[in-house]
């Protein structure tokens, strides 16, 4: 008890004398940064998930061909999940004079749970948000149905044996989905009206979807409860699996945010280690004096552990507060750029911040503080004796284990952790050696240089070990920043390339051969940049090298279960092409020559080939309409499925499909105000089908813009905390430098000489750090980009110039500014302070 | 002399016997036998002290003198239990400190020993009065503040009590250090060139203070010095040269050695 009181007293006195402020500050920064980033990521992620949830109109969906057991819905109610449902089926719908095959969606009154329905009174234009779907007795029609059925709002439409009033035009429904899965034009009605239509009979093809939304934890609980009950007939999915083209983007963005947070944690740890070491070194004398006055090692341990715990608690509290405030600031600052409202943060970020603070303290600050117990009291007689080496095996092991555990705990991703970690360790080892070597050669070169250089380089040499460490820390900080910049650039480039501006946002299918020319003319008449017309014809593979494809599928299914990739025997859209589509890449075999006219060849998409063990040279037999066609596999190709363009599993060589009657597909880009063109097109060619993907493209672009912004923000935050680490590191070497330069000043060194030597010293350190950072960044980014983000890697020549430049400028300027004081105050003051 | 010597020898034997029985010695405060210190340096082994035998009685004041580099500070550090010898035995206030570990030595220091150093060794983050309170606080004693203020008053610094060391002059700092040394109610005081960093006049004041307090508290005093004046004020001087004792005279009348005067 007396000891505790004494410890607190000493702590208070240390604090009052300003001895603790640096350690406290770096801990607060560490906890603050991590909390800010985690808080921000947490809120942003919630916002993104909410925003993305609109793509499936819910947080979770169960999809099936028949209703789900009541028990499941009861369970959802128990967990306080909001619920809605819809039923989709294909049916003929009848207007007064015309009829059309439509995709009917009957929605319950709560639909949609997420996202917005947009309706209008005229097709293709305008629109306002409406909360829920049509009331009983009414139907809403997708724009293109209005001209093709020759209907206006207020007219009557029959579905099965029931009649409805067309009360609105449906401009957008949140979970329409993209691409070509949902070909039929939409008719939306109320779920209650379905029995009246009598179209739902045993044996009809129905898709039931049950929508759920609510608290994340409850959703997870529901999912866990549900998954063993799902079986073969029911499928459950969330946002990521639910949207074509966006799942990967979200996943990568999440990984990036995680990576950012991780690097923040490491930087924070380094800052803490540095200031704890400085704290320890400054307390060597204190400990020696206390020991000469009779304090035992156990007492020293106790006194400093109390310091440690109190600082930990105080720093954590302040850090969490700082995190909360700065995150609020960031959100406020960015409010104009973030289109979605950010939900309130959970408790997790604070917990993460607090735990990070304490683990950092344990891993990085404890070892130097525990060193104090071993300080020999003989130090009071001879100052050079009884010093403790600050970097020994224990320090490193603590630091390494600590950061590894933190990273793993934080990311819950072993691969990512291992990658960054081994990259970091490798970099530290390599860079340490190189830094040491550079310093040596640096001095040899400096011997021939002028006095400023000689002074600077001699100083660096004298503190060779400390400087190696400092270069390492500078290098590590710059490296982490470069890594983040590079990964961000790779990601954003990829996202930009995914859907370029003015990418085709409308598709026309079912174009008869004789309509090709006039439609082409009409498109160019309106100055629409259209894609080439591809022939499209449906068919399927029936035999592979003489073996039935159906049997192959069954075998594979028995072996691997449901999830074995695309089936061999499914009916697919076939086409032929002269040249390889832009986004496709050959992974095996060869694409045919431009003037190829020989026997039928096919090019197969990679996943289809992999799943069914197709190889180049295999003979395939196709069933198209009523006839058969043999073709040999000439190549296997990768396809970017998320580019919102017509993509094909199977492409034939030119001429191979000439004997089969085919329809054609094309695509073009329409501005919003040009949409009325579709009215004209459809009136003139009522048999063609127009697919509008502009809405989904817009949605995807919104999401991409948002995640891009998030990525940039996290980058900025990390850059700030990286700068703080650099400052902490400079601060850590300050006493020594101050002392040295104060002595020089008393010896009459000019201001210019002292500042010059400081500038040179820091710039040289920065330059070396920059080189090391570049090296480390390239290697780590290679691993990250290829392994974690699954992107292609290209080397960055500009980095080799920029890295050292950034290092030189940043460290040179920061360092000189931070030590400027040495020439501004009388040397006596400094010497007295440091005595 | 002869009879004194044999008597001394006898006494030493008796004392040693008492020590080995781990009894409390009444007469002898410090005793070293065949003390040696060797350190490893980059240039090989360096012997700093060899074959030192000495004994210091309770309430005695002893000066350790010798040329710079002769090993005075090293010897002081060993006798005070701040460091361990390479060979030999040391008894300090009834404890065989060479047989103790660092923890136990720390306890002995806390109970019996006070220090005054050439470079003052005050804690920079503590005020003058807090520095003086520190020994008592480390022992967990109460009333440290009152005692500290009294001591500061005694050394003439009562109105500087709340100043930090860096706000005090060298002489003032050393006075604080002396106050601290006596605050621990030490039975023996070790001082390593307490006036080494001070001018002659200030040094004189410090010495006065040291001896006054020493007398008041009845403390044993062991001090290392270059200062002849200071040495003559002690009961006795121990002269070392190149790590060896060359003379240990008992001079109640004062001490004067040519080697020291030549300094
Ligand atoms: N740990 C050590 N390692 C190497 N050499 C040492 C060590 N301790 C002492 N020495 C050397 O031993 C010799 C005696 O040192 P010591 O400090 O005891 O001398 P001193 O008599 O106090 O000198 P001064 O009067 O200058 O203070 C010196 O040459 C010193 O350099
Ligand atoms: Mg000395």
């Amino acid at each position: 008890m007396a000891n505790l009181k004494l410890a607190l007293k000493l702590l208070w006195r240390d604090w009052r004398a300003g001895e603790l402020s640096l350690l406290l500050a770096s801990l607060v920064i560490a906890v603050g940064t991590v909390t800010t980033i985690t808080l921000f990521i947490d809120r942003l992620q919630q916002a993104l998930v909410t925003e993305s949830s609109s793509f499936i109109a819910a947080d979770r969906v169960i999809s099936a061909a028949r209703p789900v057991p009541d028990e499941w819905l009861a369970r959802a109610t128990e967990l306080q999940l909001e619920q809605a449902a819809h039923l989709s089926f294909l049916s003929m719908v009848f207007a007064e004079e015309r009829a059309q095959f439509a995709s009917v969606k009957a929605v319950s009154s709560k639909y949609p749970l997420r996202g917005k329905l947009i309706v209008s009174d005229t097709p293709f234009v305008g629109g306002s948000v409406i909360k829920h779907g049509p009331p009983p007795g009414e139907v809403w029609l997708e724009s293109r149905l209005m001209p093709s059925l020759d209907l206006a709002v207020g007219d009557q439409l029959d579905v099965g044996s029931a009649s409805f009033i067309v009360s609105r035009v449906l401009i957008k429904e949140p979970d329409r989905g993209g691409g070509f899965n949902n070909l039929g034009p939409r008719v939306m009605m109320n779920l209650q009206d379905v029995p009246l239509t009598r179209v739902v009979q045993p044996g009809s093809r129905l898709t039931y979807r049950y929508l759920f939304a609510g608290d994340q934890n409850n959703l997870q609980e529901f999912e866990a409860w549900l998954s063993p009950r799902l079986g073969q007939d029911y499928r459950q999915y969330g946002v990521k699996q639910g949207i074509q083209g966006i799942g990967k983007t979200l996943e990568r963005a999440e990984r990036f945010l995680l990576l950012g947070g991780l690097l923040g944690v490491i930087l924070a740890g380094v800052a803490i280690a540095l200031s704890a070491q400085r704290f320890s070194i400054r307390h060597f004398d204190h400990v020696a004096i206390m020991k000469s006055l009779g304090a035992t090692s156990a007492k020293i341990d106790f006194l400093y552990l109390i310091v440690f715990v109190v600082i930990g608690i105080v720093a954590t509290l302040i850090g969490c507060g700082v995190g909360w405030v700065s995150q609020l600031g960031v959100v406020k600052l960015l409010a104009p750029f973030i289109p979605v409202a950010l939900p309130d943060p959970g408790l997790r970020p604070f917990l993460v911040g607090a735990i990070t603070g304490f683990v950092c303290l344990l891993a990085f600050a404890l070892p130097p503080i525990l060193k104090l117990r071993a300080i020999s009291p003989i130090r009071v007689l001879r100052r050079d004796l009884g010093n403790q080496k600050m970097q020994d095996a224990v320090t490193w092991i603590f630091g390494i284990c600590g950061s590894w555990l933190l990273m793993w705990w934080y990311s819950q991703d072993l691969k990512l952790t291992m990658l960054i970690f081994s990259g970091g360790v490798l970099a530290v080892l390599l860079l340490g050696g190189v830094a040491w070597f550079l310093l040596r050669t640096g001095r040899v070169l400096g011997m021939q240089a002028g006095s400023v250089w000689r002074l600077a380089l001699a100083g660096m040499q004298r503190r060779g070990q400390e400087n190696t460490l400092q270069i390492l820390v500078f290098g590590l900080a710059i490296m982490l920043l470069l890594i983040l910049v590079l990964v961000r650039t790779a990601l954003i480039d990829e996202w930009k390339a995914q859907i370029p501006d003015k990418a085709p946002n409308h598709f026309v299918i079912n174009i008869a051969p004789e309509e090709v020319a006039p439609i082409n003319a009409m498109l160019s008449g309106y100055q629409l940049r259209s894609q080439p017309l591809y022939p499209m014809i449906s068919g399927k593979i029936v035999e592979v090298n003489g073996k039935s494809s159906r049997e192959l599928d069954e075998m594979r299914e028995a072996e691997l279960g449901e999830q074995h990739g695309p089936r061999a025997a499914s009916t697919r859209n076939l086409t032929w092409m002269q040249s390889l589509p832009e986004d496709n890449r050959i992974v095996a075999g060869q694409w045919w020559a431009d003037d190829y006219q020989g026997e039928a060849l096919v090019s197969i998409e990679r996943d289809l080939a992999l799943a069914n063990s197709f190889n180049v040279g295999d003979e395939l037999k196709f069933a198209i309409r009523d006839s058969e066609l043999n073709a040999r596999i000439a190549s296997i190709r990768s396809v970017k499925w998320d580019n919102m363009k017509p993509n094909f599993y199977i492409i034939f060589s030119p001429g191979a499909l000439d004997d089969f009657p085919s329809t054609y597909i094309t695509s073009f880009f329409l501005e919003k105000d040009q949409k009325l063109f579709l009215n004209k097109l459809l009136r003139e060619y009522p048999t063609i089908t127009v697919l509008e993907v502009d809405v989904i493209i817009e949605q995807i672009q919104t999401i991409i813009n948002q995640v891009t912004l998030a990525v940039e923000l996290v980058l900025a935050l990390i850059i700030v905390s990286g700068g703080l680490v650099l400052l902490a590191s400079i601060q850590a070497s300050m006493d020594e430098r101050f002392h040295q330069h104060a002595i020089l000043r008393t010896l009459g060194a000019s201001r210019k000489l002292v500042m010059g030597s400081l500038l040179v010293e820091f710039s040289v350190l920065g330059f070396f750090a920059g080189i090391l950072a570049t090296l480390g960044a390239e290697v780590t980014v290679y691993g990250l980009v290829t392994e974690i983000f699954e992107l292609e890697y290209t080397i960055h020549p500009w980095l080799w110039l920029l890295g050292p430049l950034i290092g030189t400028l940043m460290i040179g300027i920061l360092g000189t500014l931070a030590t400027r004081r040495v020439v501004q105050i009388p040397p006596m003051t400094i010497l007295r302070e440091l005595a | 002399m002869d009879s004194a010597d044999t008597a001394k020898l006898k006494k030493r034997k008796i004392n040693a016997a008492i020590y080995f029985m781990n009894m409390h010695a009444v007469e002898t405060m410090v005793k070293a036998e065949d003390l040696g210190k060797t350190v490893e340096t980059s240039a090989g082994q360096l012997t700093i002290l060899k074959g030192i035998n000495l004994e210091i009685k309770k309430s005695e004041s002893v000066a350790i003198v010798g040329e710079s580099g002769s090993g005075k500070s090293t010897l002081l550090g060993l006798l005070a239990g701040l460091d361990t010898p390479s060979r030999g035995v040391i008894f300090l206030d009834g404890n065989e400190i060479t047989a103790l570990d660092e923890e136990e030595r720390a306890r002995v220091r806390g109970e019996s020993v006070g220090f005054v150093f050439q470079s003052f060794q005050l804690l920079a983050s503590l005020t003058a009065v807090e520095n003086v309170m520190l020994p008592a606080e480390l022992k967990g004693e109460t009333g440290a503040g009152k005692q500290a203020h009294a001591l500061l008053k005694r050394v003439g610094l009562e109105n500087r009590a709340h100043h930090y060391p860096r706000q005090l002059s060298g002489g003032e700092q050393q006075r604080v250090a002396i106050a601290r040394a006596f605050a621990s109610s030490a039975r023996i005081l070790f001082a390593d060139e307490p006036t080494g960093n001070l001018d002659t006049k200030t040094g004189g004041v410090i010495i006065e203070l040291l001896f006054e307090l020493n007398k008041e508290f009845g403390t044993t005093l062991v001090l290392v010095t270059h200062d002849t004046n200071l040495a003559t004020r002690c009961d006795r001087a121990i002269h070392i040269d190149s790590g060896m004792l060359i003379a240990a005279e008992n001079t109640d009348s004062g001490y004067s050695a040519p080697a020291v005067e030549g300094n």
Side-chain angles (χ1 to χ4, degrees):
Chain A
M1 205 45 221
N3 272 345
L4 183 66
K5 225 168 114 187
L6 176 61
L8 293 177
K9 231 185 224 170
L10 287 177
L11 181 76
W12 159 243
R13 292 170 186 169
D14 255 2
W15 163 251
R16 193 190 51 194
E19 281 295 313
L20 292 175
S21 34
L22 201 85
L23 182 61
L24 191 72
S26 60
L27 256 174
V28 167
I29 288 168
V31 177
T33 323
V34 173
T35 315
T36 309
I37 291 177
T38 323
L39 266 172
F40 184 68
I41 290 175
D42 184 71
R43 293 184 67 180
L44 202 70
Q45 213 165 23
Q46 280 188 55
L48 283 179
V49 167
T50 312
E51 173 77 359
S52 319
S53 293
S54 69
F55 281 75
I56 56 171
D59 293 332
R60 293 286 192 288
V61 177
I62 301 175
S63 156
R66 51 198 168 87
V68 299
D70 287 340
E71 181 203 0
W72 296 9
L73 302 180
R75 178 71 189 152
T77 311
E78 243 170 68
L79 287 168
Q80 294 169 339
L81 300 178
E82 285 178 79
Q83 295 174 43
H86 56 80
L87 169 63
S88 337
F89 51 89
L90 290 172
S91 171
M92 284 306 267
V93 294
F94 302 90
E96 211 162 296
E97 302 197 334
R98 294 188 187 176
Q100 165 118 33
F101 216 51
S103 161
V104 182
K105 177 163 170 177
V107 303
S108 71
S109 57
K110 284 244 179 80
Y111 169 91
L113 298 179
R114 297 267 188 257
K116 288 171 188 140
L117 280 170
I118 295 179
V119 292
S120 170
D121 291 334
T122 38
F124 298 114
V125 284
S128 53
V129 175
I130 191 161
K131 230 174 161 168
H132 295 297
E138 294 177 15
V139 288
W140 300 348
L141 267 54
E142 192 180 341
S143 294
R144 59 183 155 124
L145 267 179
M146 304 297 278
S148 52
L149 287 174
D150 203 12
L151 282 172
V153 168
D155 291 349
Q156 189 179 312
L157 182 81
D158 292 351
V159 180
S161 52
S163 294
F164 299 93
I165 298 293
V166 178
S167 57
R168 288 171 199 275
V169 179
L170 182 61
I171 300 288
K172 180 190 155 188
E173 66 180 270
D175 54 342
R176 178 73 216 244
F180 308 89
N181 317 321
N182 254 325
L183 287 187
R186 173 72 78 226
V187 170
M188 187 175 279
M189 58 186 278
N190 196 291
L191 193 59
Q192 287 176 27
D193 290 337
V194 173
L196 299 176
T197 63
R198 296 204 203 129
V199 285
V200 175
Q201 309 286 346
S204 5
R205 261 193 77 171
L206 305 172
T207 308
Y208 289 89
R209 290 218 159 84
Y210 294 85
L211 313 183
F212 304 93
D215 177 71
Q216 204 60 34
N217 290 331
N218 293 354
L219 284 168
Q220 261 157 23
E221 199 179 331
F222 185 54
E223 200 173 326
W225 181 86
L226 200 61
S227 55
R229 293 173 168 80
L230 282 171
Q232 295 267 331
D233 299 337
Y234 298 93
R235 196 165 74 88
Q236 194 261 155
Y237 57 87
V239 179
K240 281 188 206 147
Q241 307 91 328
I243 332 156
Q244 185 193 8
I246 207 69
K248 200 120 208 162
T249 306
L250 279 182
E251 209 165 277
R252 283 176 180 155
E254 249 170 47
R255 291 219 159 134
F256 182 87
L257 298 183
L258 202 66
L259 180 70
L262 263 187
L263 299 190
V265 171
I266 302 177
L267 285 172
V270 173
I272 291 171
L274 288 173
S275 39
Q277 283 196 3
R278 181 165 189 257
F279 174 82
S280 278
I281 289 171
R282 285 178 73 98
H283 279 74
F284 278 4
D285 285 340
H286 290 211
V287 171
I289 294 169
M290 286 201 282
K291 279 195 163 182
S292 79
L293 294 177
T296 60
S297 299
K299 194 156 203 159
I300 298 290
D301 276 352
F302 182 81
L303 294 181
Y304 282 94
L305 280 177
I306 294 292
V307 171
F308 180 86
V309 170
V310 172
I311 290 192
I313 292 172
V314 172
T316 303
L317 290 180
I318 302 180
C320 285
V322 167
W324 166 249
V325 172
S326 67
Q327 162 270 148
L328 268 188
V330 170
V331 168
K332 225 182 190 107
L333 212 69
L334 293 162
F337 307 105
I338 303 180
V340 290
L342 294 183
D344 280 339
L347 267 181
R348 194 185 106 90
F350 294 107
L351 203 70
V352 171
I355 292 179
T356 306
F358 263 96
V359 174
C360 278
L361 209 57
L362 273 179
F364 297 107
L366 190 58
I369 283 175
L370 284 183
K371 289 253 159 63
L372 287 172
R373 79 182 329 259
I375 294 290
S376 163
I378 193 72
R379 219 183 125 79
V380 293
L381 285 177
R382 290 180 63 96
R383 218 169 166 222
D384 55 318
L385 291 185
N387 277 351
Q388 279 295 304
K389 239 184 112 218
M390 286 320 279
Q391 289 96 37
D392 62 359
V394 177
T395 325
W396 285 101
I397 289 171
F398 257 75
I400 288 171
C401 291
S403 33
W404 193 86
L405 272 177
L406 259 183
M407 286 165 72
W408 189 34
W409 172 73
Y410 188 82
S411 69
Q412 314 262 316
D413 183 336
L414 199 60
K415 196 171 164 191
L416 182 68
T417 305
M418 283 317 280
L419 233 148
I420 300 255
F421 184 75
S422 47
V425 168
L426 213 79
V428 165
L429 286 181
L430 214 83
L431 303 191
V434 178
W436 183 79
F437 176 77
L438 287 179
L439 271 181
R440 295 223 101 177
T441 47
R443 183 164 89 128
V444 174
L445 294 177
M447 286 319 242
Q448 287 92 24
S451 63
V452 167
W453 280 84
R454 212 168 41 232
L455 187 57
L457 293 171
M460 287 167 60
Q461 173 69 20
R462 193 153 17 77
R463 295 189 307 275
Q465 218 190 345
E466 288 89 344
N467 278 320
T468 307
L469 187 80
Q470 194 149 39
I471 290 189
L472 214 66
V473 171
F474 287 156
L476 201 69
I478 300 177
M479 176 179 120
L480 297 186
L481 299 184
L482 287 180
I483 287 177
L484 223 54
V485 171
L486 291 182
V487 172
R488 161 216 164 259
T489 312
L491 267 186
I492 291 181
D493 285 352
E494 167 78 12
W495 287 337
K496 284 230 175 84
Q498 184 180 332
I499 301 178
D501 270 357
K502 314 239 163 184
N505 57 3
H506 290 83
F507 293 88
V508 182
I509 57 175
N510 287 334
I511 303 173
E514 64 276 11
E515 290 171 335
V516 168
I519 286 184
N520 245 347
M522 187 168 172
L523 288 176
S524 39
Y526 280 85
Q527 256 134 37
L528 294 172
R529 287 186 310 138
S530 66
Q531 297 280 305
L533 281 112
Y534 298 111
M536 201 162 82
I537 179 165
S538 62
K540 60 183 175 189
I541 301 171
V542 285
E543 276 181 22
V544 181
N545 290 333
K547 280 197 212 92
S548 150
S549 63
R550 197 165 283 279
E551 274 168 34
L552 275 179
D553 274 343
E554 274 159 21
M555 260 167 58
R556 219 158 273 280
E557 208 147 297
E559 207 177 299
L560 299 169
E562 185 75 6
Q563 315 262 289
H564 72 85
R567 294 148 174 270
S570 301
T571 303
R572 303 186 183 281
N573 288 318
L574 313 177
T575 189
W576 63 263
M577 280 181 204
Q578 192 174 34
S579 42
L580 184 69
E582 242 175 70
D583 289 347
N584 289 194
R585 208 142 274 145
I586 297 291
V587 294
Q590 265 182 330
W591 188 257
W592 36 82
D594 273 356
D595 53 357
Y596 182 81
Q597 279 299 334
E599 49 157 357
L601 297 176
V602 280
S603 174
I604 304 285
E605 191 270 340
R606 184 180 54 183
D607 291 343
L608 180 64
L610 274 180
N612 301 291
S613 316
F614 292 168
N615 291 309
V616 172
D618 284 356
E619 292 289 341
L620 302 180
K621 181 184 275 178
F622 289 86
I624 303 173
R625 301 276 159 107
D626 300 325
S627 41
E628 289 184 340
L629 170 67
N630 286 306
R632 189 163 52 80
I633 299 181
S635 63
I636 292 170
R637 136 196 82 77
S638 66
V639 172
K640 287 205 169 154
W641 289 107
D642 50 11
N643 65 358
M644 301 307 286
K645 287 183 191 163
N647 281 309
F648 295 91
Y649 274 110
I650 298 166
I651 301 177
F652 281 85
S653 57
L657 297 176
D658 282 359
D659 298 341
F660 302 93
S662 69
T663 60
Y664 286 77
I665 169 175
T666 189
S667 58
F668 49 85
F669 174 77
L670 264 190
E671 297 278 6
K672 260 208 168 72
D673 55 2
Q674 294 176 306
K675 290 208 69 151
L676 282 176
F677 167 76
L678 296 177
N679 253 336
K680 290 208 176 72
L681 187 70
L682 281 166
R683 270 183 213 283
E684 216 151 308
Y685 304 99
T687 55
I688 65 171
T689 306
V690 173
L691 298 177
E692 298 161 86
V693 291
D694 53 340
V695 173
I696 185 135
I697 283 185
E698 214 172 282
Q699 275 176 320
I700 291 177
Q701 271 166 344
T702 312
I703 295 260
I704 287 180
N705 287 341
Q706 279 167 16
V707 294
T708 303
L709 191 73
V711 160
E712 304 277 26
L713 275 175
V714 168
L715 181 68
L717 276 177
I718 299 291
I719 285 180
V720 170
S721 64
L724 290 173
V725 167
L726 292 183
L727 263 181
S729 166
I730 290 170
Q731 203 80 41
S733 69
M734 204 72 106
D735 294 346
E736 170 83 47
R737 269 181 238 273
F738 262 30
H739 193 66
Q740 182 198 346
H741 286 96
I743 290 173
L744 282 175
R745 281 290 273 172
T746 57
L747 293 179
S750 70
R751 186 194 174 93
K752 214 173 108 191
L753 180 72
V754 170
M755 286 308 281
S757 109
L758 279 173
L759 183 66
V760 169
E761 189 172 342
F762 279 115
S763 303
V764 170
L765 287 180
F767 176 73
F768 290 150
I771 294 180
L772 305 181
T774 308
L775 197 83
E778 279 280 19
V779 174
T780 316
V781 168
Y782 170 75
L784 280 177
V785 163
T786 51
E787 290 300 312
I788 302 290
F789 293 96
E790 295 164 16
L791 299 171
E792 270 166 45
Y793 175 77
T794 43
I795 197 159
H796 312 84
W798 51 268
L799 191 70
W800 290 89
L801 212 78
L802 200 66
L805 194 72
I806 288 180
T808 311
L809 287 181
M810 218 154 103
I811 309 289
I813 292 171
L814 269 182
T816 315
L817 283 182
T819 38
R820 194 186 46 203
R821 210 161 68 88
V822 79
V823 293
Q824 287 174 339
I825 50 179
M828 192 55 211
T829 315
I830 293 177
L831 288 178
R832 251 195 128 130
E833 260 174 35
L834 297 176
Chain B
M1 269 294 190
D2 247 30
S3 62
D5 260 347
T6 40
K8 213 172 178 182
L9 204 73
K10 244 186 203 159
K11 203 167 198 176
R12 186 189 285 172
K13 276 183 181 157
I14 296 167
N15 267 342
I18 295 171
Y19 277 137
F20 282 118
M21 289 154 66
N22 212 8
M23 300 283 289
H24 204 76
V26 195
E27 282 289 319
T28 303
M29 197 65 198
V30 181
K31 186 170 143 107
E33 281 169 3
D34 193 24
L35 203 57
K37 177 76 179 174
T38 313
V39 292
E40 298 290 336
T41 65
S42 48
Q45 272 205 346
L46 175 71
T47 301
I48 305 172
L49 292 175
K50 47 185 178 280
I52 305 268
N53 287 294
L54 59 81
E55 184 175 357
I56 295 165
K57 299 218 172 66
K58 193 161 176 254
S59 299
E60 207 181 2
S61 59
V62 176
I64 300 177
V65 291
E67 281 176 32
S68 181
S70 55
K72 304 182 296 289
S73 297
T74 310
L75 178 60
L76 187 87
L78 291 177
L79 296 180
L82 293 174
D83 200 4
T84 49
S86 312
R87 47 177 299 187
V89 191
I90 302 167
F91 297 96
L92 175 62
D93 196 18
N95 302 283
E96 186 188 348
I97 54 170
T98 36
L100 304 180
D101 63 12
E102 167 55 28
E103 292 300 286
E104 292 161 326
R105 282 201 306 275
R107 183 184 48 77
V108 173
R109 285 197 301 268
E111 279 170 4
S112 326
V113 184
F115 290 98
V116 180
F117 302 105
Q118 179 176 2
S119 51
F120 321 138
Q121 301 289 11
L122 300 175
L123 264 71
S125 56
L126 268 55
T127 60
V129 70
E130 286 164 355
N131 262 293
V132 179
M133 282 158 66
L134 192 59
E137 285 180 337
L138 281 172
K139 274 190 237 172
E141 286 171 4
T142 49
K146 223 164 137 191
Q147 187 205 14
H149 276 289
L151 275 164
L152 275 181
K153 190 167 181 190
R154 183 70 191 73
V155 300
L157 286 176
E158 67 266 41
N159 46 9
R160 309 299 296 272
H162 298 292
H163 288 195
Y164 285 99
R166 94 182 91 86
Q167 298 166 319
L168 300 173
S169 76
E172 288 161 347
Q173 288 188 46
Q174 194 63 305
R175 280 192 271 165
V176 175
I178 289 172
R180 182 178 70 185
F182 286 99
S184 53
S185 49
R187 299 149 61 79
I188 179 163
L189 202 65
F190 289 95
D192 190 1
E193 305 196 34
T195 58
N197 277 351
L198 306 170
D199 62 71
T200 331
K201 189 161 166 261
T202 319
V205 175
I206 293 291
I207 289 166
E208 280 313 317
L209 200 57
L210 199 58
F211 278 94
E212 265 172 41
L213 284 167
N214 193 41
K215 211 163 158 193
E216 247 175 77
F217 286 79
T219 327
T220 310
L221 177 66
V222 180
L223 68 88
V224 166
T225 183
H226 277 116
D227 185 344
T228 329
N229 265 336
L230 186 47
T232 50
R233 295 209 45 176
C234 295
D235 300 336
R236 189 155 66 96
I238 295 173
H239 195 140
I240 64 171
D241 186 19
S242 312
M244 287 190 292
L245 228 61
I246 53 173
E249 295 172 32
N250 222 339
T251 52
D252 277 281
S253 51
Y255 166 79
S256 121
V260 177
E261 262 171 356
N263 261 353

